Amino acid sequence: MTIKVGDRVPDGTLTEFFETESGGCSLGPNNFQVADLVKGKTIAVFAVPGAFTPTCSAKHLPGYVQQAQALKDKGVDEIWCVSVNDAFVMGAWGREQQTAGKVRMLADGSAHWTRALGLELDLDARGMGVRSQRYSALLQDGVVKQLNIEAPGKFEVSDAATLLSQI
């Protein structure tokens, strides 16, 4: 069953790679519980089928990096990029895309959270295994307020400008 507007996001574990130790987070991958991360916050989350892939690297992630301040000006506390990749890959992609201080690069390495959302994408036939559908959402205290799920192979409704216009 796919999550929808009005639903509470399921709990799960997402992993973020840290370049330096700070704020109680050690160097390297750190696990976070979704329930703790969303508590009392407004979060713009978007997911991509894969780090370093063409549309994701050229359009999707850069749009959120560019619109980070505008989203924060509209009350968004954090912006998350979620992908079914490991934390090392997400950390490297974040460095390349200069996301520090703008977008949290969160790995769902085994697609557990993505499956719990009902937003998995089977790309096994293309040699990529289970991935995430491309989508964006606005979460308020863990409840889905906006949800934009792309049709397969499309990039039309999950971009930063669309989510910004919905806030």
Side-chain angles (χ1 to χ4, degrees):
M1 182 172 207
T2 302
I3 198 158
K4 61 189 181 313
V5 171
D7 289 350
R8 179 168 294 285
V9 293
D11 194 14
T13 303
L14 296 175
T15 309
E16 186 173 15
F17 187 87
F18 284 86
E19 300 286 331
T20 56
E21 290 186 46
S22 67
C25 296
S26 60
L27 176 68
N30 286 260
N31 292 331
F32 295 94
Q33 290 306 119
V34 171
D36 295 333
L37 292 178
V38 299
K39 195 175 296 178
K41 291 183 180 169
T42 298
I43 297 175
V45 58
F46 67 101
V48 298
F52 292 104
T53 56
T55 300
C56 306
S57 290
K59 297 177 183 174
H60 209 173
L61 177 55
Y64 280 90
V65 171
Q66 292 163 2
Q67 295 291 341
Q69 190 57 55
L71 285 161
K72 289 180 181 181
D73 289 347
K74 288 238 184 167
V76 170
D77 297 301
E78 292 182 357
I79 303 166
W80 298 357
C81 175
V82 177
S83 184
V84 180
N85 288 106
D86 64 63
F88 296 99
V89 169
M90 292 299 283
W93 193 33
R95 279 192 305 279
E96 179 197 84
Q97 295 281 327
Q98 300 176 352
T99 62
K102 296 177 182 174
V103 177
R104 292 184 75 172
M105 305 299 286
L106 297 169
D108 184 19
S110 296
H112 294 301
W113 194 60
T114 298
R115 282 188 177 107
L117 292 169
L119 292 170
E120 70 275 9
L121 176 65
D122 185 351
L123 293 178
D124 202 48
R126 294 176 52 195
M128 295 174 68
V130 174
R131 296 297 179 117
S132 176
Q133 292 183 50
R134 186 182 305 280
Y135 68 88
S136 68
L138 183 70
L139 310 179
Q140 289 180 334
D141 198 26
V143 176
V144 180
K145 296 299 184 180
Q146 294 289 339
L147 180 62
N148 307 299
I149 303 171
E150 295 287 356
K154 298 292 184 183
F155 179 62
E156 299 170 343
V157 299
S158 64
D159 59 294
T162 298
L163 192 60
L164 184 62
S165 75
Q166 295 172 333
I167 300 174

